[in-house]
Every structure is written in structure tokens, then in C-alpha cells.
Amino acid sequence: MTEAVPIVRFTGTAPKISDIASIARRSAWIEVSTDVENKIAAARAVVERYLAADKPVYGLTTALGAGVDTRLATDDLIAFQLRVPQARAVGVGPALPCEIIRAMMAARIAGMAAGGSGVSLPVFAGLVAALNAGFHPVVPSLGSIGAADLAPLAHMARALLGDGEAELDGAIMPARDALSKLGLKPLPVAPKDGHVLVVANSLSVGKACLCIEDIVRLFDWSLAAVALNFEAFRANVSAFDDRALAARPAFGQRETAARLRELLSGSSLFVDGAARRLQDPLSYRCAPQVWGALLHAIGEARATTEIELASSGDNPVVLADEGLILSHGNFDMTAFVLAWERLGQAIAHCAAATAYRTMKIMSPGMSELPRFLTPLGQSRTGFATVQKTVSALEAEIRHLANPVSLTPIPVADGVEDQASMAPSVLTKIEAMIERMRYLVAIELVASAQAVDLRGVAGELGGGTQRAYRKVREIVPPLEEDRAQGPDFQRLSEFIENADMMEMAS
């Protein structure tokens, strides 16, 4: 039997982060409720009333950006909307992966479903149909400063209008041909629709949903790596004692320590005298504090992303209940990017601690194990050269943790003089998560090797035993020297897609 396609329903409540990830990565089918259609229709009716009265509305009866003072002729209203995505399709660089395109399209659908965009129902329905059909516009990865992701969304909109290129079933082809193969027609753009398609932060929000899914999974595996290293190092578990942590309950540290205690439950480390030292190096002893900060930062990033998914950041916003269209600055992503920059810095702290522990488990002076964890003596290299990979990964993460979100130079003849650089922030986070995943894989492999050399495989806790066994299913013990890069790659790819907390014992 084939596995049933998941369904995500857009109703009167906001979609979840997991809904966007499911659409992007698991090809979930989108269904739209009558409530959402009614909400969109109500907002569209306000647009039509403003249009009939020829009232000045940004992007409806006026030009955009520095052209806000230019009124559009009545016979130019639809042609202008067709020009909007063409003029803003200025992206450059490699094309975005399909899962990010799908996340961006899903996030734009979520924004429209919130009811404040004023989009016409045929264009909204056409976007949903295109995503459900597997129509993926080719979108360059560079060109947005995060004051709405204009360039990426313009490339998306251009393809939906039958111009540019699209990916269909792994093949790149003219967008019009891809639409035809799927039995779809170019979007029937009405006044305001071209602007609606591009005036959102959907690339940033879509990426954020995928990053949340990735960092939550990686967080669990990184705790497993901490715990397995504790087992191998014979570290002092008093660092996880809730009584000490309650004396200064900093964000996340008590919850993190509780999860570490759970992973270690049943371990011989809890026997009196099991620890080799009264106090271990800080990369061991401060794990609850450092990973607690990461847990807290994940929560903040999640909260800011949920706000975006539940909201209409369109400018202007249509307030159907009030019968109003108002200009504003709700597209600004400063609060959003500050949360994500904080998350990046928290990842960097954890990356440093992971690297330090990995180095220490290889050092006989620290671990009382054979140097570089080789059982065959110093005529073998063992894990020695792995330290270079660890150092390189940690340095790159630390570099990426530097902020990029400080306001870029003004654009649009100085009218748009502030922007968040949200897409660049999320691109950094993606790269940091990838590198952190490799660091966690390396710590797990090194810790499993150290467990074998220490001879404590039969004394592990329940969670650490599961992690150890999974490592050993994927990576055999290191005896004679071999290429270890493939070992780390295989384990990293497993970690990317497997939930530690749900892994069978």
C-alpha cells in the first residue's frame, strides 16, 4: 500500500509551523475552508469599493516605492499589476531548492488566508492549485533585504503568470509549459493582485518553519551527544542536579538538565564514586546552562514565526470589518530577525562546547583514554585529523553568528531606508544548523569509540544506550585507520531525518 498523502487544512485558525514544513517536505495537500474563502471575499469587497470610488491606495491606484505619488490611469490598473512582478524579478544566484520554494508558497497562502491582503479569490485559488499540483517556480536565492521578500516572490509570481521557468518532476522548463502540462492556466490577475503576490516576507517565514523543524530535531540529538560523552568521559552528573539548578533557574536550564537525566537514567554514572573528577571542564559542567539558552532561543524563534504565520503583513492591509485599507509598516521584520540572530548565537555557544568536549575525549590527559581514541597505538592516526574538521566547523559557525541584520543601505530613492535582512539571517541559520549537525555526528561517533575503549557499553543509561546502538548500526568501531568522513556523513544524514525522542529502543 502507498502511504496516504498528508492533508493541511487552512481554516479560521492559523496554520502551524509543522503544517508549512509538511507542505514543503512531505507534499501535503492543501484544503481551504469556506471560512477562509469568505474572509478573503470580504476583504476583496473592500478593495472593489475603494477602486470604484477611485480612492488613493498604495499599489492599487498608485505606483509603488518612490512612485507612491503617481496615480495610475484607470485603463492601466491591470497592466500595472502584471508589470509589478516583472519589474521586481531582479534576483540573482543559484536557484532555491524546491522545498524552500514550497515553503515560501505555503507561507504566502497562509498570509493571504489571514484575510488582510485583499487578494482576489481566483488568484488565491490559483496559487493553492499550483502548489498542490507540484508547480515550482525557479527562484534565484539572492536579492531580498527583508522589507518584504520582493525579488523572490516576484520570480514566483512571474512563473505563475506563465513567464520565466519552473521545475516540474525534477525537470526545468518554461513556466508556461509546466502550467500547461498540469492543466493549469496563468493566474487571472485583477487590480491589486500583482502587488499582493510580492508584498510579503514569505521566503523568510517559509525558511523559518523549516529551520524550526530542523533545529528541534538537532537539539534532541545534541543532548544525546552530550549525554553519551558524559558516559564515556565519566563526568560528574551533579551538574544536572535540579536542586543546584533551581538555585538560579536561568532560561531553559532545568528543563534541559531534566532531559539529560532522562537520557542517562539507569547509567552507572549515578553510582557514588563513578565520576573521575569533582568538577569537570566547563563544556561538561555548564551543558544545562548552555543548552538551556539554546532551548529558550528556539522558543523565541518559534514564537516570532507563529506570529507571522497567523498574520497579514501586507502593506496596505485590508480591514474588512472596518471597511478600511490602511498603510503601515507591519512588513518590518526587526523583532523576527533579532530572535533568529539570538538563536544563531545560541547555536554558536553550543557548537563551541561540542567542539571542546570532542577534543577533550580524545586527549589522554583529560579522558585517561588512548590518545586520539585509537586502540592500536600511536603508529595509527585514530581521530587525530578529525580535530581539524571539528575546528573548521566550529569556526564557521562562530563566523556565521555575527549579525547581518543591521539596516542595509537605503533604497527606492531613500524612501525605503530601513530593512531587516531577514532572508540572509535565515540563510545563515540554515548553514549553522548543517554544520552543527556534523559536529553532533562527530561527537556521537567519538563518544561511542570512547565508550568502547572505556569498556562501559553495558553500563549506559536507557537513552544513551539507544544512541550508542544507533551510532554502531551506522558506524563501526575504529580499529585500523580508515576514511572517517563517510562515517560522519552517514550519521549526519540519519540525524537530519530521524527523531531521537521517537527512536525505538
Side-chain angles (χ1 to χ4, degrees):
M1 293 180 63
T2 57
E3 188 174 343
V5 175
I7 295 174
V8 170
R9 294 179 174 85
F10 283 79
T11 63
T13 58
K16 300 175 182 176
I17 288 170
S18 58
D19 291 333
I20 303 301
S22 185
I23 294 167
R25 289 176 164 163
R26 294 172 281 282
S27 299
W29 185 266
I30 299 172
E31 292 183 352
V32 178
S33 73
T34 302
D35 287 344
V36 168
E37 292 176 345
N38 290 341
K39 188 185 295 186
I40 290 172
R44 184 66 194 183
V46 177
V47 172
E48 298 292 348
R49 288 198 294 272
Y50 269 72
L51 193 59
D54 195 28
K55 292 184 178 181
V57 177
Y58 182 70
L60 175 65
T61 57
T62 78
L64 298 170
V68 64
D69 55 357
T70 301
R71 289 296 296 268
L72 300 175
T74 302
D75 60 1
D76 192 36
L77 292 178
I78 293 179
F80 175 78
Q81 297 301 320
L82 294 171
R83 294 196 300 270
V84 166
Q86 296 289 3
R88 286 153 187 81
V90 295
V92 296
L96 292 166
C98 277
E99 71 170 28
I100 291 178
I101 297 298
R102 292 183 62 81
M104 177 176 73
M105 294 171 73
R108 190 65 200 109
I109 289 168
M112 292 176 176
S117 72
V119 68
S120 67
L121 267 173
V123 165
F124 174 76
L127 178 55
V128 172
L131 185 50
N132 276 340
F135 177 85
H136 305 137
V138 173
V139 177
S141 55
L142 304 175
S144 176
I145 58 175
D149 294 326
L150 296 176
L153 286 169
H155 284 276
M156 177 199 78
R158 181 171 175 248
L160 289 163
L161 294 172
D163 202 2
E165 292 184 318
E167 183 273 342
L168 180 62
D169 295 329
I172 304 297
M173 63 187 73
R176 189 170 292 272
D177 291 348
L179 289 170
S180 179
K181 285 178 180 291
L182 294 169
L184 301 173
K185 294 182 179 180
L187 295 184
V189 168
K192 200 178 191 304
D193 283 338
H195 186 215
V196 169
L197 287 167
V198 306
V199 64
N201 293 291
S202 308
L203 173 61
S204 304
V205 175
K207 279 190 169 190
C209 293
L210 302 185
C211 284
I212 288 290
E213 183 172 85
D214 289 341
I215 191 60
V216 167
R217 179 175 290 134
L218 181 56
F219 181 85
D220 291 340
W221 279 104
S222 69
L223 286 187
V226 171
L228 191 59
N229 198 324
F230 257 71
E231 299 266 30
F233 196 77
R234 309 314 285 168
N236 197 326
V237 292
S238 67
F240 304 153
D241 194 306
D242 188 62
R243 293 167 295 184
L245 297 169
R248 193 218 61 171
F251 290 134
Q253 69 179 28
R254 294 181 73 184
E255 181 180 344
T256 299
R259 291 168 70 169
L260 287 165
R261 291 195 304 271
E262 183 179 359
L263 285 165
L264 289 163
S265 178
S267 168
S268 62
L269 283 183
F270 289 99
V271 176
D272 286 344
R276 293 186 301 114
R277 288 181 173 86
L278 177 64
Q279 287 196 157
D280 295 303
L282 298 185
S283 55
Y284 289 87
R285 194 175 358 135
C286 297
Q289 289 77 15
V290 177
W291 264 256
L294 175 57
L295 183 63
H296 181 68
I298 292 171
E300 286 190 337
R302 179 189 291 277
T304 62
T305 304
E306 288 172 342
I307 288 171
E308 298 300 325
L309 283 180
S311 307
S312 176
D314 293 67
N315 174 49
V317 65
V318 181
L319 304 176
D321 291 343
E322 303 290 333
L324 293 174
I325 302 179
L326 298 177
S327 292
H328 60 83
N330 282 345
F331 53 84
D332 181 82
M333 299 285 274
T334 299
F336 175 90
V337 299
L338 289 177
W340 281 94
E341 290 277 35
R342 173 186 170 91
L343 175 58
Q345 292 172 5
I347 292 171
H349 280 276
C350 292
T354 300
Y356 299 154
R357 284 193 310 272
T358 303
M359 299 296 193
K360 285 178 173 60
I361 201 71
M362 300 178 188
S363 169
M366 278 287 179
S367 68
E368 298 177 348
L369 292 170
R371 179 175 284 112
F372 305 134
L373 303 178
T374 173
L376 301 180
Q378 293 307 292
S379 62
R380 271 63 169 188
T381 300
F383 282 72
T385 316
V386 175
Q387 293 192 349
K388 294 177 172 58
T389 304
V390 170
S391 181
L393 291 168
E394 188 277 332
E396 289 188 17
I397 291 172
R398 185 160 23 92
H399 171 71
L400 289 165
N402 288 300
V404 71
S405 58
L406 301 179
T407 296
I409 61 174
V411 298
D413 202 18
V415 173
E416 298 174 11
D417 54 2
Q418 192 159 9
S420 68
M421 296 301 294
S424 297
V425 173
L426 269 299
T427 297
K428 287 195 317 167
I429 297 294
E430 290 172 331
M432 295 173 79
I433 290 172
E434 178 189 35
R435 286 155 179 76
M436 183 66 182
R437 192 182 293 121
Y438 285 125
L439 281 177
V440 168
I442 292 170
E443 183 175 25
L444 282 166
V445 173
S447 297
Q449 179 81 1
V451 163
D452 291 338
L453 293 173
R454 184 85 69 187
V456 294
E459 303 176 23
L460 304 180
T464 46
Q465 182 66 245
R466 292 196 301 274
Y468 170 81
R469 283 204 295 260
K470 180 52 65 177
V471 172
R472 282 291 167 254
E473 286 177 19
I474 297 170
V475 178
L478 182 70
E479 295 176 355
E480 188 58 76
D481 285 345
R482 66 168 184 264
Q484 290 185 267
D487 295 343
F488 305 140
Q489 186 69 39
R490 288 195 306 276
L491 186 55
S492 176
E493 290 172 359
F494 175 80
I495 291 170
E496 184 177 6
N497 298 295
D499 290 327
M500 172 64 195
M501 302 301 285
E502 297 176 3
M503 192 173 62
S505 59

